[in-house]
Amino acid sequence: QVQLVESGGGSVQAGGSLRLSCTASGRTFSTYEMGWFRQPPGKEREFVAQIAWSGGSRVYADFAQGRFIIFTDNAKNTVYLRMNSLKPEDTGVYYCAQRTVAGGRFGSWGQGTQVTVSS
C-alpha cells in the first residue's frame, strides 16, 4: 500500500496559478502511473491528468490541456500539478491517485486538497 498526501490548494482569483503537490510514502516502488482527479461542487469526480512514474508519458483532460502541467520529482516521491489561467469552473477538491499496472484502476488515493477560484 502507498500513502498519498496532497498539499498546495487554496483560494485564488481567476487567471491565477497554483501548484499542487502529492507526496507518496510506503510501497512507492510499485507505482506505474500517478494521476490527478478533481471533484467540483455537486458533481462527480473527474480525471485531470496522469503521468508515468518513469517519466515521459502524460495524458490530460481536454479542459486541462494547455493550462495544467503534471510532472514528477522521483527523488522526492512527489507528483505535481501546475495549474495556470485558473477559471471559476476549476473549483473543487483535487485528489492524487496511484496505480500499479497499466490500464488498471487507481487504487490508492490521497485525502484531497481544496482549490477555490473566484471570479
Side-chain angles (χ1 to χ4, degrees):
Q1 193 75 6
V2 67
Q3 293 76 45
L4 304 173
V5 179
E6 302 99 333
S7 61
S11 296
V12 64
Q13 288 194 326
S17 299
L18 283 174
R19 190 186 76 170
L20 307 183
S21 302
C22 172
T23 299
S25 61
R27 295 173 60 88
T28 58
F29 59 86
S30 65
T31 299
Y32 180 77
E33 283 177 331
M34 296 294 295
W36 283 98
F37 294 76
R38 71 183 187 184
Q39 187 164 18
K43 297 183 179 180
E44 295 191 351
R45 188 165 57 193
E46 61 184 358
F47 170 78
V48 177
Q50 69 183 44
I51 184 169
W53 193 242
S54 62
S57 175
R58 296 170 173 84
V59 179
Y60 294 95
D62 288 346
F63 64 79
Q65 191 74 41
R67 296 191 300 129
F68 294 2
I69 302 171
I70 187 171
F71 58 101
T72 62
D73 184 336
N74 292 47
K76 295 182 178 179
N77 289 324
T78 300
V79 59
Y80 301 93
L81 184 69
R82 176 70 178 181
M83 305 186 293
N84 299 316
S85 302
L86 283 164
K87 306 175 182 179
E89 51 263 44
D90 293 319
T91 293
V93 180
Y94 283 69
Y95 301 89
C96 69
Q98 178 236 32
R99 63 181 170 191
T100 58
V101 295
R105 68 183 184 92
F106 284 91
S108 296
W109 294 81
Q111 82 289 348
T113 186
Q114 176 71 43
V115 171
T116 302
V117 184
S118 58
S119 57

